[in-house]
């Protein structure tokens, strides 16, 4: 299977998963930023929260009162080749990176472990040029002291 076929399969899986539309969320605050993405705190609309938690699913969403950390892929990033030379030239994020970002969202959503942050699916843009986004559990302030303790 070639890379394009794999990404098509990932997109199909993502669309059948727990995706929400961007207009089902409301922005709360910025949490941080990295080289390729930023993370923001958002709150799910009440009807969306009820849909995602029906039948006892996604209990972490209820504990957090519908607050989720949303990872958003940047549209412009530092060119990796220029960074190696000490130059930080901004370039449009390569299309392949968006496909990989969506694959990451699907992969993380499939992992159920106390050692991996829960993921609740992709955020679908409300227009064709929307940002690539996916939702993850938000644990308070983001400090490790706020995380649950796990058995040794």
């Amino acid at each position: 299977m070639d890379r394009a076929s794999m990404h098509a399969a990932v997109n199909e899986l993502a669309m059948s998963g727990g995706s929400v539309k961007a207009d089902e969320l409301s922005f709360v605050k910025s949490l941080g930023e990295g080289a390729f993405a930023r993370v923001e705190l958002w709150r799910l609309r009440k009807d969306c929260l009820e849909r995602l938690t029906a039948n006892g699913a996604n209990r972490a969403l209820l504990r957090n009162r519908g607050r989720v950390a949303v990872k958003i892929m940047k549209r412009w990033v530092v060119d990796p080749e220029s960074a190696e030379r000490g130059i930080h030239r901004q370039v449009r994020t390569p299309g392949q990176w968006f496909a990989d970002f969506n694959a990451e969202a699907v992969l993380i959503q499939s992992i159920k472990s106390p050692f991996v942050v829960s993921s609740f699916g992709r955020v679908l843009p409300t227009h064709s040029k929307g940002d690539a986004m996916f939702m993850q559990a938000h644990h308070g302030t983001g400090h490790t002291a706020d995380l649950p303790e796990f058995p040794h």
Side-chain angles (χ1 to χ4, degrees):
M1 179 181 277
D2 66 355
R3 192 174 181 105
S5 299
M6 286 189 290
H7 282 296
V10 164
N11 280 335
E12 188 174 321
L13 276 173
M15 297 308 284
S16 65
S19 299
V20 302
K21 295 177 185 158
D23 61 4
E24 294 180 298
L25 295 160
S26 60
F27 176 80
V28 176
K29 68 179 182 176
S30 178
L31 296 174
E33 186 171 334
F36 308 106
R38 65 186 188 277
V39 180
E40 298 172 347
L41 180 63
W42 290 69
R43 185 180 305 273
L44 292 164
R45 277 192 347 219
K46 185 178 179 184
D47 58 326
C48 180
L49 178 61
E50 289 170 355
R51 177 174 51 87
L52 291 176
T53 57
N55 302 320
N58 299 316
R59 288 186 299 249
L61 287 174
L62 290 174
R63 285 193 301 272
N64 289 337
R65 298 182 310 277
R67 292 177 303 174
V68 291
V70 177
K71 186 174 181 180
I72 305 163
M73 184 78 172
K74 291 182 179 179
R75 292 175 187 240
W76 291 85
V77 295
V78 173
D79 176 29
E81 292 177 15
S82 70
E84 290 176 7
R85 297 188 309 268
I87 304 167
H88 292 82
R89 183 173 60 98
Q90 294 284 314
V91 296
R92 225 178 238 297
T93 302
Q96 184 61 48
W97 291 15
F98 285 100
D100 291 345
F101 185 84
N102 286 328
E104 176 187 353
V106 171
L107 175 66
I108 290 174
Q109 189 175 358
S110 70
I111 298 172
K112 305 298 182 216
S113 167
F115 303 105
V116 177
V117 175
S118 299
S119 182
F120 304 116
R122 291 188 337 172
V123 178
L124 304 175
T126 53
H127 53 83
S128 63
K129 295 193 182 218
D131 293 317
M133 306 162 63
F134 68 88
M135 302 177 295
Q136 293 186 286
H138 176 256
H139 296 287
T141 62
H143 298 288
T144 54
D146 294 329
L147 295 174
E149 289 190 32
F150 300 107
H152 299 293

